[in-house]
Amino acid sequence: MKRRVRIGTRGSQLALVQTEMVIKELKTMYPNVVFEKIVLSTKGDKIIDKPLIEFGGKGVFIEEFERALQDNRIDIAVHSGKDLPAELGEDLIIGGVLKREDPRDVLVVKKGCSVLKRNDKSDLGDGRGQEGKSHTISIGTGSLRRRLFAEQIWDCTCVGMRGNVPTRLEKMNSGICDGVILAAAGLRRLQLTQVPEYDYYYLSEQECIPAGCQGIIAAECRREDNEIRQMLQKIHHIQTGIQFEVERTVLKLLNADCRQMAAVYACMEESKSHQISLNIAFEKNGTYYRTASKESMDNWRSLAGAAVTKLEDSPWYI
């Protein structure tokens, strides 16, 4: 009888695609194992008309999976890295991560929608076009981080919005807003990067620092399950794993949650020096801080702590 491994996943199109990516990698290494998807619904999936901060924060997307792991109803849980809270459930670990997809954010707008950066307004006097119509656009996002950067980059107003990728695009199409900010990784995985009805504005990691672990798929398992841990280590991407650890360490040190704006991105620099750079932005008690640090790959474990210490002396005036 073939070995059967049960993999927990959310039911959204993106979650299923990401779970299939994990299964594909595992099948390559373990062709004789049967990998079965177990679809679970989370509180975060059921409540989409309220901000996350009102009913539990990031943990609402993984609580059900962690209970299923602890009750031995599933063997692996697949998560978007940015959905993970700072602390995992008791006796649970991240067994492996896949190679990171594009970590950037993307503004998606209806074709032909005028998008003005703030520093472009000076060319238009009062910010209006020849027909007297305002160039201000409305952008849908439920993220404090995306809202802050959006309002810094564009002449815009932000509209609260939650839901999966297709749902947010549908809301934009219905006229709730002119555009939505989404993760490039999700758009790529759903093959939605070249829809002719949309225009896309990709944001660099410097002008809009990504959420911690954005673009990373993480596989969680029981700490004591050595067989599953060995399986996940076979598909673990080492460089992405370092980024994952650095960014999560920063978030833990900052004690960051959905009630605060937090952004962190660790970038591997492929050069003779083999360095890793770290960009952080954080809000605390109404004050915004931003800093950048760099360290050799040999010392990556010390980077997060040093950067957070430096952050406290780096107020960001916005």
Side-chain angles (χ1 to χ4, degrees):
M1 185 174 180
K2 288 187 175 182
R3 172 73 163 94
R4 174 170 164 261
V5 174
R6 302 157 298 172
I7 302 183
T9 177
R10 292 164 64 189
S12 72
Q13 185 180 357
L14 178 57
L16 292 171
V17 167
Q18 293 181 160
T19 300
E20 282 295 339
M21 292 171 65
V22 172
I23 291 174
K24 181 179 179 180
E25 294 290 326
L26 287 169
K27 279 185 174 179
T28 300
M29 305 302 298
Y30 300 94
N32 295 321
V33 175
V34 175
F35 297 98
E36 177 186 357
K37 291 194 295 291
I38 306 292
V39 177
L40 300 175
S41 182
T42 72
K43 187 189 295 184
D45 296 312
K46 296 172 183 176
I47 304 174
I48 61 171
D49 59 346
K50 296 180 181 179
L52 290 178
I53 59 176
E54 292 187 10
F55 63 99
K58 286 186 174 183
V60 299
F61 290 114
I62 73 162
E63 288 173 350
E64 180 59 34
F65 292 96
E66 294 199 325
R67 282 195 293 270
L69 282 168
Q70 291 164 338
D71 295 343
N72 199 30
R73 288 183 282 128
I74 60 174
D75 304 299
I76 297 171
V78 176
H79 306 293
S80 291
K82 69 177 182 178
D83 289 340
L84 291 168
E87 299 295 336
L88 300 179
E90 185 177 2
D91 296 325
L92 301 178
I93 63 167
I94 299 301
V97 298
L98 299 191
K99 183 178 180 180
R100 192 173 206 166
E101 180 53 275
D102 188 338
R104 294 176 296 172
D105 287 296
V106 185
L107 172 64
V108 183
V109 299
K110 287 173 277 190
K111 196 75 174 181
C113 179
S114 178
V115 179
L116 259 187
K117 288 195 173 183
R118 286 203 173 276
N119 59 8
D120 291 335
K121 283 191 68 176
S122 59
D123 297 331
L124 297 167
D126 63 354
R128 297 175 180 271
Q130 293 180 352
E131 298 179 359
K133 295 182 180 179
S134 173
H135 283 269
T136 298
I137 65 168
S138 58
I139 295 176
T141 178
S143 161
L144 295 175
R145 176 188 63 84
R146 287 173 174 164
R147 179 171 189 150
L148 174 72
F149 284 116
E151 291 175 346
Q152 288 296 298
I153 297 169
W154 295 294
D155 182 20
C156 70
T157 57
C158 289
V159 178
M161 183 181 291
R162 288 192 53 237
N164 58 38
V165 172
T167 297
R168 296 189 197 197
L169 291 172
E170 288 172 9
K171 288 181 178 180
M172 178 184 72
N173 293 336
S174 71
I176 291 177
C177 56
D178 300 309
V180 291
I181 301 179
L182 300 166
L187 289 170
R188 289 180 183 276
R189 288 166 182 157
L190 291 175
Q191 299 182 8
L192 291 173
T193 58
Q194 296 182 358
V195 179
E197 291 80 13
Y198 302 143
D199 286 326
Y200 300 84
Y201 296 85
Y202 285 79
L203 306 176
S204 73
E205 298 89 340
Q206 288 71 43
E207 63 182 341
C208 182
I209 303 174
C213 304
Q214 183 161 294
I216 298 176
I217 298 173
E220 187 179 20
C221 65
R222 291 179 291 277
R223 185 184 300 275
E224 64 183 19
D225 195 334
N226 291 326
E227 183 182 7
I228 294 296
R229 288 180 64 178
Q230 289 175 8
M231 284 185 175
L232 293 177
Q233 276 299 300
K234 290 285 188 180
I235 65 170
H236 178 69
H237 189 263
I238 295 175
Q239 286 190 327
T240 299
I242 292 173
Q243 292 177 296
F244 182 80
E245 290 296 332
V246 170
E247 292 172 22
R248 280 183 56 76
T249 299
V250 168
L251 294 175
K252 288 178 184 178
L253 292 173
L254 292 174
N255 195 27
D257 58 28
C258 290
R259 296 171 179 82
Q260 300 156 301
M261 191 287 289
V264 52
Y265 176 59
C267 177
M268 307 292 193
E269 297 188 7
E270 294 296 338
S271 65
K272 292 181 180 180
S273 55
H274 296 288
Q275 290 185 320
I276 179 170
S277 61
L278 184 62
N279 280 279
I280 308 172
F282 184 64
E283 179 271 330
K284 183 177 181 180
N285 298 326
T287 299
Y288 293 89
Y289 300 86
R290 179 169 180 164
T291 190
S293 299
K294 189 174 292 187
E295 186 58 86
S296 70
M297 283 298 299
D298 292 338
N299 299 322
W300 69 266
R301 294 183 184 279
S302 65
L303 179 59
V308 169
T309 299
K310 180 181 177 182
L311 184 70
E312 297 172 354
D313 298 321
S314 307
W316 176 26
Y317 300 99
I318 60 173

